[in-house]
C-alpha cells in the first residue's frame, strides 16, 4: 500500500495533464438565445439537439412552431422557449375557444417541465401585403392573452409577434426612427397591448442585408462590430460603432414617437450567412464568425445601446443549423452555427462538444478512458 500512495501524486498529475489535453476550451460566458429552425431533411433528433445546446450552455430557444417532440425533449432542461403561432393560424386565434384550445394542446401540457416563456403570434406579418392578416394580428394576440389569463398562465407566458425592420419608414439617424405611416394604424394599438401586458416588442434585424444591398457604401467593419470610427447621430451626438445598435435604437425612437417609453425591444433574429451566391457579397465563414463572435463578446459585457446603455441587449441568433430545404438564395440555407451533424460551421469561442454523449471522442468518453487508465495503473502497482 505504501508503494501505491507514494505513486499517487504522480498519477494524479498524469491524470490532470490528460484531462487538460482532452478538455475543450472554455465557452464564452454569454447568455443568448438561438433560433431552432427545422426546414431540412437531415437534422439530428430533438433529444440530440437538447444535448448539444446544453453542452454549449445555450438556455434560450425560439421555435417557429410548437413542435411537441422538441418541447418534450427539453423536459427539465432549464431551457426557456419561445414558441410560435404560424401566420396561417392567426385568424383562427381570434376565436377565444380556439385560442384556449391551442394553449391547452401546445403550452399547458409541457409546463412546468419545459419552460415556455413567450408565444409569438405570426412572423413579419406587417412585411406582407395581406391587410386582412395585419388587421387580425392584434385581435389574435389579445385572444391568446385572455386565454392565458383564464388558464392562470399569464404570469409565466407572454404574447408577442416578430417584425422585420421593413416596418420602419425612417431608420437613420436612429433618433429619427419612425414606423411606416401606412402601418401606424396597426402598430399604435399593438404598442398599447405590449405596454398593458408588459411584453417585449420583437424585431428581426440583419445588418447583412444592408451590406448586401450597398457593399460599396456600407462599411463592412461597421456591420461586423470591427474597429471603425462609427457614425454620430446629429440629433443626440451619440456615436454608433455598429449598425445593429443603430437599428435597435431606431426602433426605440419609433416606439417613443407613438407615445411609449415602457416597452422592451428584443432581437428575435439576427445572423450572418457563411455562404451565398455570386451576387451576395460578404457571405463567408470569416465574416459570419466575426459578426456572431463580436456580437457574443458585446453580450458578455452586458452592453447596452448608446440610447439605453444600462439595458443589456437581448438577442436570439439565427440560426442553430444550416437548413438545406429552405427556399431562396444560397444564403438562406447557410445561416447556421452548426452543420446538421453537430460540427461547427465556424468557431466563435463556444464550447464545442459532440451533440451526443455517446459519440466517439466525446469529452465524457475521454474522461472515462483516462479514469480507466488511472485505475489500471493503480492496480498494476498493487
Amino acid at each position: 500500500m505504501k508503494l501505491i500512495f507514494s505513486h499517487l501524486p504522480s498519477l494524479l498529475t498524469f491524470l490532470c495533464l490528460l484531462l487538460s489535453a482532452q478538455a475543450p476550451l472554455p465557452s464564452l460566458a454569454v447568455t443568448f438565445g438561438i433560433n431552432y429552425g427545422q426546414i431540412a431533411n437531415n437534422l439530428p433528433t430533438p433529444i440530440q439537439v437538447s444535448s448539444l445546446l446544453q453542452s454549449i450552455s445555450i438556455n434560450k430557444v425560439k421555435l417557429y412552431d410548437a413542435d411537441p417532440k422538441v418541447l418534450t425533449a427539453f423536459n427539465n432542461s432549464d431551457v426557456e422557449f419561445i414558441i410560435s403561432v404560424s401566420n396561417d393560424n392567426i385568424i383562427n386565434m381570434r376565436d377565444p375557444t380556439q385560442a384556449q384550445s391551442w394553449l391547452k394542446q401546445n403550452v399547458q401540457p409541457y409546463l412546468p417541465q419545459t419552460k415556455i416563456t413567450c408565444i409569438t403570434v405570426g412572423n413579419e406579418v406587417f412585411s406582407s401585403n395581406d391587410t386582412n392578416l395585419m388587421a387580425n394580428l392584434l385581435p389574435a394576440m389579445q385572444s391568446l392573452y385572455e386565454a392565458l389569463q383564464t388558464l392562470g398562465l399569464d404570469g409565466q407566458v407572454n404574447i408577442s409577434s416578430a417584425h422585420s425592420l421593413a416596418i420602419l419608414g425612417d431608420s437613420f439617424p436612429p433618433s429619427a426612427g419612425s414606423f411606416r405611416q401606412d402601418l401606424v394604424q396597426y402598430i399604435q394599438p399593438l404598442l398599447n397591448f405590449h405596454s398593458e401586458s408588459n411584453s417585449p416588442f420583437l424585431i428581426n434585424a440583419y445588418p447583412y442585408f444592408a451590406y448586401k444591398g450597398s457593399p460599396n457604401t456600407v462599411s463592412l467593419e461597421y456591420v461586423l462590430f470591427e474597429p471603425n470610427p462609427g457614425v454620430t447621430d446629429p440629433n443626440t451626438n451619440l456615436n454608433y460603432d455598429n449598425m445593429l445598435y443603430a437599428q435597435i435604437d431606431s426602433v426605440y425612437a419609433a416606439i417613443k414617437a407613438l407615445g411609449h417609453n415602457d416597452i422592451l425591444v428584443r432581437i428575435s433574429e439576427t445572423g450572418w450567412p457563411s455562404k451565398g451566391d455570386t451576387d451576395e457579397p460578404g457571405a463567408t465563414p470569416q465574416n459570419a464568425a466575426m459578426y456572431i463572435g463580436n456580437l457574443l463578446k458585446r453580450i458578455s459585457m452586458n452592453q447596452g445601446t448608446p440610447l439605453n446603455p444600462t439595458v443589456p441587449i437581448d438577442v436570439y441568433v439565427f440560426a442553430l443549423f444550416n437548413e438545406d430545404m429552405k427556399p431562396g438564395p444560397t444564403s438562406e440555407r447557410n445561416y447556421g452555427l452548426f452543420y446538421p451533424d453537430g460540427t461547427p460551421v465556424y468557431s466563435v469561442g463556444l464550447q464545442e462538444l459532440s451533440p451526443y454523449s455517446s459519440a466517439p471522442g466525446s469529452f465524457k468518453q475521454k474522461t472515462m478512458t483516462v479514469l480507466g487508465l488511472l485505475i489500471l495503473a493503480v492496480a498494476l502497482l498493487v
Side-chain angles (χ1 to χ4, degrees), residues 282-297:
T284 67
Q286 294 78 16
N287 288 341
M290 279 192 283
Y291 182 78
I292 299 298
N294 287 335
L295 173 61
L296 297 188
K297 288 177 184 176

Side-chain angles (χ1 to χ4, degrees), residues 183-204:
L183 296 179
V184 169
Q185 61 179 312
Y186 306 112
I187 295 178
Q188 178 72 76
L190 181 68
L191 293 177
N192 295 339
F193 169 81
H194 283 298
S195 176
E196 293 166 4
S197 64
N198 194 31
S199 57
F201 190 83
L202 306 182
I203 60 169
N204 299 337

Side-chain angles (χ1 to χ4, degrees), residues 37 70 75 79 98 113 158 209 233 236 242 278 352 371-372 377:
V70 174
N75 277 350
V79 174
Q98 292 197 50
Q113 289 85 2
N158 59 47
F209 292 152
D233 186 321
T236 61
N242 70 86
T278 54
E352 293 164 4
L371 289 173

Side-chain angles (χ1 to χ4, degrees), residues 159-178:
I159 301 292
S160 190
S161 184
H163 308 285
S164 155
L165 281 179
I167 63 175
L168 295 179
D170 292 302
S171 60
F172 190 83
S175 60
S178 63

Side-chain angles (χ1 to χ4, degrees), residues 12-307:
L12 290 174
T13 300
F14 175 65
L15 172 62
C16 290
L17 287 172
L18 280 175
L19 284 174
S20 63
Q22 307 280 6
L25 294 173
S27 60
L28 286 173
V30 295
T31 299
F32 69 100
I34 194 80
N35 283 272
Y36 177 11
Q38 299 184 76
I39 307 178
N41 59 10
N42 56 357
L43 297 181
T45 66
I47 290 176
Q48 292 169 328
V49 173
S50 174
S51 179
L52 169 62
L53 294 186
Q54 291 180 76
S55 77
I56 56 178
S57 301
I58 291 179
N59 62 359
K60 295 192 295 183
V61 174
K62 178 171 166 282
L63 297 178
Y64 292 90
D65 52 22
D67 189 336
K69 293 181 181 178
V70 174
L71 297 176
T72 301
F74 281 81
N75 277 350
N76 303 312
S77 66
D78 286 330
V79 174
E80 296 182 5
F81 272 90
I82 295 177
I83 62 174
S84 303
V85 173
S86 62
N87 286 6
D88 59 9
N89 202 22
I90 287 175
I91 294 176
N92 294 332
M93 292 301 100
R94 289 196 58 162
D95 180 345
T97 301
Q98 292 197 50
Q100 189 169 131
S101 176
W102 191 91
L103 293 175
K104 287 181 176 179
Q105 178 181 345
N106 297 291
V107 177
Q108 202 170 36
Y110 304 102
L111 296 175
Q113 289 85 2
T114 300
K115 295 183 177 179
I116 300 172
T117 60
C118 180
I119 300 167
T120 57
V121 184
N123 186 56
E124 301 188 351
V125 170
F126 295 139
S127 300
S128 70
N129 296 318
D130 191 337
T131 55
N132 185 49
L133 196 60
M134 295 180 193
N136 280 286
L137 177 60
L138 178 57
M141 294 170 67
Q142 291 171 324
S143 179
L144 280 163
Y145 183 66
E146 290 166 4
L148 282 173
Q149 291 178 312
T150 299
L151 297 173
L153 301 176
D154 54 303
Q156 303 176 56
V157 186
N158 59 47
I159 301 292
S160 190
S161 184
H163 308 285
S164 155
L165 281 179
I167 63 175
L168 295 179
D170 292 302
S171 60
F172 190 83
S175 60
S178 63
F179 294 113
R180 282 169 34 196
Q181 281 303 306
D182 62 310
L183 296 179
V184 169
Q185 61 179 312
Y186 306 112
I187 295 178
Q188 178 72 76
L190 181 68
L191 293 177
N192 295 339
F193 169 81
H194 283 298
S195 176
E196 293 166 4
S197 64
N198 194 31
S199 57
F201 190 83
L202 306 182
I203 60 169
N204 299 337
Y206 289 87
Y208 168 71
F209 292 152
Y211 179 77
K212 174 185 174 181
S214 302
N216 295 324
T217 57
V218 175
S219 164
L220 186 60
E221 290 76 19
Y222 181 60
V223 293
L224 293 179
F225 299 89
E226 289 290 289
N228 69 92
V231 178
T232 299
D233 186 321
N235 300 323
T236 61
N237 288 323
L238 294 174
N239 184 263
Y240 291 82
D241 68 354
N242 70 86
M243 181 177 285
L244 182 66
Y245 285 14
Q247 291 175 334
I248 295 171
D249 281 354
S250 67
V251 176
Y252 272 117
I255 292 173
K256 182 179 180 181
L258 293 185
H260 285 283
N261 286 309
D262 56 348
I263 298 171
L264 175 69
V265 174
R266 176 185 292 183
I267 304 170
S268 45
E269 287 184 21
T270 191
W272 195 284
S274 59
K275 186 179 181 181
D277 295 320
T278 54
D279 62 347
E280 296 187 290
T284 67
Q286 294 78 16
N287 288 341
M290 279 192 283
Y291 182 78
I292 299 298
N294 287 335
L295 173 61
L296 297 188
K297 288 177 184 176
R298 299 294 184 103
I299 295 172
S300 70
M301 297 163 60
N302 288 321
Q303 191 177 71
T305 66
L307 183 64

